[in-house]
Amino acid sequence: MRHADANPDVDQLTLTDVLAALSDPLRVGLVRLMADGAEYTFGEFAVPVAKSTLSHHLKVLNAAGLTWRRDEGTRCYLRLRRDDLDTRFPHLLDTVLAAADRDDVGSHVGNHAGHHVTTP
Amino acid sequence: MRHADANPDVDQLTLTDVLAALSDPLRVGLVRLMADGAEYTFGEFAVPVAKSTLSHHLKVLNAAGLTWRRDEGTRCYLRLRRDDLDTRFPHLLDTVLAAADRDDVGSHVGNHAGHHVTTP
DNA sequence: TAGGTTGTTCGATGTTCACCGAACTTCGAA
DNA sequence: TTCGAAGTTCGGTGAACATCGAACAACCTA
């Protein structure tokens, strides 16, 4: 629930905010993981930073409109806002993801096993 | 001449550096101006910042590989590295420019009249 | 050669950012 | 109801950034 300014409207998104959010390798790694369309929770991201830092990065991604978050009980589910991004900035996400894949940007972000990987 | 680290190699460019360079509205405005493929010098950019600040922003763009610079006498000519960018990060520049045009990002950057506007 | 033009560099300032550990809130489960 | 798990928030730190004015170097031109 926390975080009243979560999930900004599509028309509030700005290009420079999106690009700034994607200018950090760790955040690109997070986005690449979420690119499968599945929902992820905090603990499913295997990142080499403290959990407060991860919380910060996920907040940046959400504020820029890159993720959709849904809180359920004590945990929140995150998912890429691919359709909204595509509407607002056509092809941008695909193009960045393709380049990130080619260069393996943010490969230090992994997926913790034992959690759901299926697209709901 | 100054600036030994100018015009980095294509294979040295990183995605996150390019995105970081494009995460500033003023720099996006500069890139949009140069999108016509012409060469620009310092004084042709009508920007609302001090010339030292403009120098800084143009250095950031060059360091990220977005521009090609050629020094001639007392002035330097800048041009978009469109082909190199397209090779390294296919469609990225076009996609960002299209989004920037739609949103009119960096419109506070103008073109000083009286200078060359023709593609050489 | 004396000036003006062009662009860089140098502090200096205030802001933002990435990062951490620790304290805190919420909630589900035992 | 007590405990642990999931995230958030807070204070703090060092680095990076945007910005300015002023001083500087390089060059062309009158």
Side-chain angles (χ1 to χ4, degrees):
Chain A
M1 210 66 23
R2 32 205 101 104
H3 227 219
D5 50 334
N7 301 331
D9 277 355
V10 188
D11 45 275
Q12 284 183 313
L13 311 185
T14 72
L15 176 64
T16 47
D17 281 355
V18 170
L19 296 180
L22 292 172
S23 68
D24 183 283
L26 193 134
R27 288 195 290 261
V28 172
L30 296 170
V31 169
R32 284 179 71 197
L33 256 198
M34 289 186 283
D36 63 359
E39 284 190 317
Y40 283 81
T41 88
F42 230 82
E44 290 175 294
F45 299 113
V47 288
V49 293
K51 72 174 179 174
S52 55
T53 304
L54 175 60
S55 180
H56 159 68
H57 283 301
L58 292 175
K59 191 193 295 189
V60 171
L61 286 177
N62 186 257
L66 282 158
T67 62
W68 184 267
R69 74 177 290 168
R70 165 176 81 82
D71 291 303
E72 194 177 305
T74 167
R75 68 189 60 186
C76 71
Y77 295 93
L78 293 171
R79 158 199 317 258
L80 251 195
R81 281 181 79 172
R82 198 187 271 274
D83 40 356
D84 284 343
L85 259 306
D86 284 349
T87 302
R88 189 75 180 73
F89 310 112
H91 306 297
L92 181 59
L93 192 55
D94 284 340
T95 302
V96 171
L97 279 175
D101 281 346
R102 290 209 326 180
D103 284 23
D104 205 22
V105 180
S107 53
H108 51 318
V109 176
N111 186 2
H112 270 151
H115 297 256
H116 72 105
V117 205
T118 56
T119 314
Chain B
M1 204 67 30
R2 32 204 103 101
H3 227 220
D5 48 335
N7 301 331
D9 277 354
V10 189
D11 45 277
Q12 284 182 313
L13 311 185
T14 72
L15 175 66
T16 48
D17 282 353
V18 170
L19 296 180
L22 291 172
S23 70
D24 184 284
L26 194 133
R27 290 195 289 260
V28 171
L30 296 169
V31 169
R32 283 180 70 198
L33 257 198
M34 290 187 283
D36 63 359
E39 284 190 316
Y40 283 81
T41 89
F42 228 84
E44 291 175 294
F45 299 112
V47 289
V49 294
K51 72 173 179 173
S52 54
T53 305
L54 175 60
S55 181
H56 160 68
H57 283 300
L58 291 175
K59 191 193 294 188
V60 171
L61 286 177
N62 185 258
L66 282 159
T67 62
W68 183 265
R69 74 176 290 166
R70 165 176 80 83
D71 291 302
E72 193 177 306
T74 168
R75 69 189 59 185
C76 72
Y77 294 94
L78 292 172
R79 164 200 312 258
L80 252 196
R81 282 181 80 172
R82 197 187 271 276
D83 41 355
D84 283 343
L85 259 305
D86 284 350
T87 302
R88 190 75 181 70
F89 309 112
H91 307 298
L92 180 60
L93 191 55
D94 284 340
T95 301
V96 171
L97 279 174
D101 282 346
R102 291 208 327 179
D103 284 23
D104 206 22
V105 179
S107 52
H108 51 319
V109 176
N111 186 2
H112 270 152
H115 297 256
H116 72 104
V117 205
T118 56
T119 314

